[in-house]
């Protein structure tokens, strides 16, 4: 084995690949043989399914034909003039009428038994009197079946075999309503035809022996004639075909055991598989040794490259040899040494820049957010002071609750961003505080699309805009101020609008312009720029003495 490896190791890569291809062709042949065997298996399975379906269909046609013959025979007898003539007779209380009816009905019933070998016995109920063919009575309880038959307008098929001791056979009762000209329920008559279930089962057993399968007659899931259905959990062991019996909606099921059906075929396939497996193992043993001399150096080199890619810059190849892979390993080691030095320099510069930028960003965010909170808290505490002097307890409670909720949302456990839903709640808390302080000065409404609620936004962006509405927009108003805050998604952007009906301004009015370009608005714009870059835009629209609208648009892809 060592000599083989040494010999293979001295081969050039092209020579190794030629040798490997030769072995691969042999393996491909084995694979083709396996695929061919699978194809033969599929074709055999399809043909067996077709044969089984055709056989079961022929059986279903036979049973359906026999049932049709019985029904047609009975129907022909039922509409015969002789039988129709006795239907109006009073057979219950008039002996003469009873004997007259018996002389016609009994021979007719007996003739039915003679004409079809599947008819075990017959009977007819006229009014409350029973007549039997061949003088055989029915030993089972017919009255229960009669009640069920009355719910069917023409014919009732019992899906349960009963034992008729009069003939010693298991039978399937079929009850037919005998039509009469008067269509009176008083004159209704019924024929009971007992189909010989034992003979029908015998016919199925003969077919089972020739087909090497099990045949069942079923009504839905109920087995009428035949053995048990396929046990639950064993469906894969059997092939089951169902064919309907058209006359009564029953089905014939053919259950074939796969092991029996494919016995000889499985033996042939087994030997083919065993032989293929032995040859495949032999080919694999040779192939492994051939392929290893080609792939092992490449695998080692690939592994070292992956280590280098994942950050292990000390990875080096230990491949030896004078072939192409050996030369590639030496070049790889030289390249890794140079790249390691460059990456170390770049990483150090990158880490230093990242530390500076992150520290700068955090410091700016802290400074910008701190500009808002102290001013607002001061005004609120001042209002609390005056409310306490005025003994306005309810207002104090509401102020404290809304203020605490604002502070809780503003802190947000140190997070820079919060859901839009929480941002709007923060604005609502602020507006509630201002309404307590200025109860008649303004009203407000906050609207938001449901799908926009769960996006995240840098916190405390809207509150400074709302504060501008009250401080600057309503500075000359004592009442009837209106503030509307709206959040919605438009064309892949989240759009926030803060609108008031205050004094408004024109951009030529420097004092009003400065109010909206003062530190609060600049604060918002700076924070949006820090957090979203060019993904956030601000627009201000104002009409003197009518309204002012501040609109912020943020690309959804920039929002969490």
């Amino acid at each position: 084995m060592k000599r083989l490896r040494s010999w293979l190791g001295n081969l050039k890569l092209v020579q190794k690949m030629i040798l490997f291809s030769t072995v691969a062709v042999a393996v491909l042949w084995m694979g083709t043989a396996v695929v061919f065997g699978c194809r033969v298996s599929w074709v055999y399975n399809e043909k067996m399914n077709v044969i089984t379906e055709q056989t079961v269909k022929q059986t279903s046609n036979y049973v359906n034909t026999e049932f049709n013959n019985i029904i047609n025979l009975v129907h022909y007898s039922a509409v015969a003039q002789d039988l129709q003539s006795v239907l109006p007779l009073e057979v219950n209380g008039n002996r003469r009428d009873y004997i007259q009816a018996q002389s016609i009905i009994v021979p007719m019933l007996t003739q039915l038994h003679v004409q079809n070998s599947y008819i075990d016995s017959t009977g007819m109920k006229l009014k409350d009197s029973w007549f039997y063919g061949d003088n055989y009575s029915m030993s089972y309880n017919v009255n229960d079946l009669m009640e069920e038959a009355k719910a069917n307008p023409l014919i009732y098929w019992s899906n349960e075999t009963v034992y008729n001791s009069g003939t010693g056979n298991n039978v399937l009762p079929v009850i037919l309503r005998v039509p009469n000209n008067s269509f009176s329920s008083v004159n209704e008559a019924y024929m009971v035809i007992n189909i010989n279930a034992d003979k029908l089962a015998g016919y199925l057993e003969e077919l089972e022996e020739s087909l090497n399968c099990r045949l069942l007659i079923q009504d839905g899931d109920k087995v009428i004639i035949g053995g048990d259905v396929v046990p639950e959990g064993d469906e894969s062991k059997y092939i089951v075909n169902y064919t309907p019996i058209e006359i009564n909606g029953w089905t014939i099921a053919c259950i074939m055991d796969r092991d029996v059906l494919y016995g000889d075929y499985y033996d042939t396939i087994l030997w083919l598989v065993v032989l293929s497996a032995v040859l495949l193992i032999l080919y694999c043993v040779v192939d492994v040794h051939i392929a290893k001399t080609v792939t092992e150096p490449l695998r080692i080199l690939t592994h070292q490259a992956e280590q280098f890619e994942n950050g292990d810059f000390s990875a080096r190849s230990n491949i030896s040899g004078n072939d192409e892979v050996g030369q590639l390993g030496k070049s790889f080691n030289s390249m890794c040494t140079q790249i390691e030095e460059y990456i170390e320099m770049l990483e150090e510069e990158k880490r230093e820049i990242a530390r500076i930028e992150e520290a700068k960003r955090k410091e700016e965010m802290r400074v910008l957010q701190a500009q808002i909170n102290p001013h607002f808290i001061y005004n609120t505490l001042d209002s609390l002071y005056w409310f306490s002097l005025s003994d306005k307890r309810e207002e104090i409670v509401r102020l404290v609750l809304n203020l605490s909720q604002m502070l809780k949302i503003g802190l947000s456990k140190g997070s820079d961003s919060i859901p839009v839903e929480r941002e709007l709640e923060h604005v609502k808390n602020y507006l509630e505080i201002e309404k307590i302080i200025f109860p008649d000065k303004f009203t407000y409404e906050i609207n938001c699309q449901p799908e926009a609620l769960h996006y995240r936004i840098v916190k405390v962006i809207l509150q400074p805009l709302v504060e501008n509405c009250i401080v600057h927009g309503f500075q000359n108003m004592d009442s009837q101020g209106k503030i509307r805050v709206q959040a919605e998604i438009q064309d892949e952007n989240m759009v926030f609008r803060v609108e008031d009906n205050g004094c408004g301004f024109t951009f030529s009015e420097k004092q009003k312009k400065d109010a909206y370009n003062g530190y609060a608005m600049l604060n918002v714009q700076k924070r949006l720029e820090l957090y979203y870059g060019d993904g956030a835009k601000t627009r201000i629209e104002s009409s003197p003495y009518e309204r002012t609208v501040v609109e912020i648009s943020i690309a959804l892809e920039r929002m969490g």
Side-chain angles (χ1 to χ4, degrees):
M1 189 63 66
K2 290 182 179 179
R3 291 182 179 179
L4 178 61
R5 289 184 178 179
S6 176
W7 175 72
L8 291 173
N10 293 325
L11 293 176
K12 295 295 184 181
L13 185 59
V14 174
Q15 295 171 326
K16 293 176 182 178
M17 294 307 299
I18 292 174
L19 184 59
F20 176 77
S21 299
T22 303
V23 176
V25 169
V27 174
L28 181 61
W29 176 82
M30 294 300 303
T32 304
V34 172
V35 172
F36 178 76
C38 294
R39 173 63 180 175
V40 171
S41 174
W42 180 82
V43 171
Y44 183 82
N45 184 66
E46 288 296 312
K47 287 185 177 180
M48 289 305 300
N49 283 337
V50 171
I51 293 172
T52 304
E53 289 177 1
Q54 290 177 348
T55 304
V56 176
K57 187 173 182 180
Q58 291 175 357
T59 304
S60 173
N61 290 336
Y62 172 79
V63 175
N64 189 71
T65 300
E66 290 296 332
F67 285 171
N68 261 319
N69 290 339
I70 293 173
I71 298 305
N72 291 335
L73 187 62
V74 174
H75 182 72
Y76 178 78
S77 301
V79 298
Q81 186 175 358
D82 291 344
L83 180 61
Q84 290 292 320
S85 66
V86 302
L87 294 182
L89 299 178
E90 296 296 331
V91 296
N92 292 339
N94 189 315
R95 182 171 179 78
R96 180 179 177 181
D97 286 354
Y98 179 86
I99 293 174
Q100 183 181 350
Q102 185 180 36
S103 65
I104 293 176
I105 294 174
V106 171
M108 182 269 296
L109 296 176
T110 301
Q111 186 66 24
L112 290 176
H113 172 68
V114 174
Q115 289 177 326
N116 193 296
S117 60
Y118 276 98
I119 297 180
D120 172 81
S121 53
T122 55
M124 179 174 173
K125 182 180 179 183
L126 180 58
K127 310 252 183 339
D128 291 329
S129 297
W130 278 96
F131 302 88
Y132 303 99
D134 296 328
N135 293 323
Y136 288 129
S137 62
M138 297 181 187
S139 60
Y140 59 88
N141 188 354
V142 186
N143 293 325
D144 292 341
L145 294 178
M146 292 297 299
E147 292 300 320
E148 296 182 21
K150 289 180 180 179
N152 295 271
L154 296 176
I155 184 171
Y156 168 75
W157 294 80
S158 174
N159 62 2
E160 187 172 352
T161 61
V162 294
Y163 180 70
N164 187 10
S165 60
T167 60
N169 295 321
N170 290 303
V171 297
L172 279 172
V174 181
I175 302 177
L176 297 91
R177 184 179 182 274
V178 178
N180 60 73
N181 295 329
S182 65
F183 295 97
S184 170
S185 59
V186 177
N187 292 327
E188 278 191 347
Y190 292 90
M191 279 191 187
V192 180
I193 308 300
N194 291 321
I195 298 176
N196 193 331
D198 290 338
K199 181 172 181 176
L200 187 57
Y203 168 74
L204 296 180
E205 289 175 0
E206 292 178 0
L207 285 177
E208 288 177 346
E209 292 180 2
S210 62
L211 293 175
N212 203 4
C213 68
R214 287 192 291 133
L215 294 173
L216 313 176
I217 295 181
Q218 296 179 257
D219 183 8
D221 294 333
K222 181 180 177 59
V223 178
I224 302 172
I225 296 177
D228 297 331
V229 296
V230 176
E232 186 175 353
D234 292 340
E235 291 86 353
S236 61
K237 296 181 180 180
Y238 300 91
I239 298 175
V240 183
N241 286 300
Y242 297 93
T243 305
I245 301 175
E246 296 180 358
I247 191 170
N248 53 13
W250 295 351
T251 57
I252 291 183
C254 177
I255 304 173
M256 307 188 78
D257 192 323
R258 289 183 183 271
D259 293 337
V260 175
L261 182 61
Y262 297 108
D264 295 336
Y265 173 76
Y266 287 153
D267 291 340
T268 304
I269 292 297
L270 178 61
W271 281 109
L272 177 62
V273 170
V274 170
L275 180 60
S276 299
V278 171
L279 293 176
L280 183 60
I281 292 173
L282 292 177
Y283 280 123
C284 286
V285 171
V286 177
D287 181 56
V288 165
H289 290 289
I290 296 175
K292 192 171 183 180
T293 62
V294 177
T295 60
E296 185 64 17
L298 294 176
R299 187 191 66 80
I300 295 173
L301 187 59
T302 301
H303 177 68
Q304 299 297 334
E306 288 177 350
Q307 285 184 303
F308 190 87
E309 181 184 7
N310 293 330
D312 183 5
F313 303 129
S314 63
R316 295 294 183 273
S317 170
N318 56 359
I319 300 173
S320 60
N322 296 320
D323 61 4
E324 291 85 345
V325 179
Q327 294 297 324
L328 181 61
K330 294 176 183 178
S331 299
F332 173 78
N333 290 339
S334 177
M335 180 191 67
C336 288
T337 300
Q338 297 179 22
I339 293 178
E340 182 180 9
E341 295 174 357
Y342 290 136
I343 288 178
E344 184 61 31
M345 294 173 56
L346 292 174
E347 286 295 328
E348 183 60 32
E349 293 180 5
K350 182 179 178 181
R351 285 193 293 269
E352 184 63 24
I353 293 173
R355 284 195 297 268
I356 295 173
E357 291 296 327
E358 182 64 19
K360 180 180 177 181
R361 177 182 173 278
K362 289 183 177 180
E363 185 62 27
E364 287 179 336
M365 291 294 290
R366 284 197 295 268
V367 171
L368 291 171
Q369 290 186 357
Q371 290 177 358
I372 298 176
N373 295 335
H375 177 70
F376 170 70
I377 293 175
Y378 170 79
N379 289 338
T380 305
L381 292 176
D382 186 57
S383 299
L384 282 171
Y385 170 75
W386 289 107
F387 280 148
S388 63
L389 293 179
S390 304
D391 197 24
K392 295 183 178 182
R393 296 181 180 179
E394 182 179 350
E395 286 81 356
I396 293 173
V397 171
R398 290 165 56 199
L399 270 175
V400 171
L401 288 176
N402 282 282
L403 179 60
S404 65
Q405 187 64 17
M406 274 193 68
L407 293 175
K408 180 178 179 181
I409 297 173
L411 292 173
S412 301
K413 299 181 180 180
S415 175
D416 292 336
S417 65
I418 59 176
V420 172
E421 183 178 14
R422 297 286 284 167
E423 175 70 10
L424 295 177
E425 185 179 349
H426 182 267
V427 172
K428 181 180 178 182
N429 293 138
Y430 170 77
L431 288 171
E432 284 296 319
I433 291 173
E434 294 296 332
K435 278 194 65 65
I436 294 171
I437 298 172
F438 307 105
D440 300 322
K441 192 169 186 176
F442 68 92
T443 60
Y444 72 89
E445 63 174 290
I446 299 175
N447 300 313
C448 182
Q449 289 181 343
E451 55 268 25
L453 289 174
H454 303 295
Y455 283 91
R456 297 185 70 85
I457 183 176
V458 61
K459 63 186 178 183
V460 195
I461 286 293
L462 300 180
Q463 185 268 336
L465 305 182
V466 174
E467 184 176 359
N468 267 356
C469 295
I470 298 173
V471 174
H472 300 293
F474 301 153
Q475 62 179 349
N476 297 324
M477 298 173 60
D478 295 326
S479 63
Q480 296 184 350
K482 294 181 181 179
I483 297 175
R484 183 183 181 189
V485 181
Q486 185 171 351
E488 61 183 357
I489 297 175
Q490 297 180 0
D491 300 329
E492 302 301 322
N493 290 286
M494 179 73 72
V495 179
F496 298 95
R497 291 171 58 92
V498 178
E499 181 179 353
D500 68 71
N501 66 338
C503 59
F505 62 89
T506 63
F507 284 95
S508 62
E509 298 177 6
K510 186 176 184 303
Q511 184 179 4
K512 294 295 181 68
K513 178 181 178 182
D514 289 344
Y516 271 87
N517 281 345
Y519 90 87
M521 191 65 200
L522 291 176
N523 175 284
V524 171
Q525 292 175 331
K526 183 63 176 177
R527 291 169 63 208
L528 289 172
E529 180 182 350
L530 283 172
Y531 206 87
Y532 301 109
D534 58 1
K537 294 180 176 55
T538 305
R539 183 179 67 87
I540 302 174
E541 176 187 338
S542 183
S543 300
Y545 312 109
E546 291 184 8
R547 67 173 187 145
T548 298
V549 178
V550 180
E551 183 176 284
I552 296 174
S553 177
I554 305 173
L556 290 178
E557 63 183 13
R558 302 290 184 93
M559 303 184 68

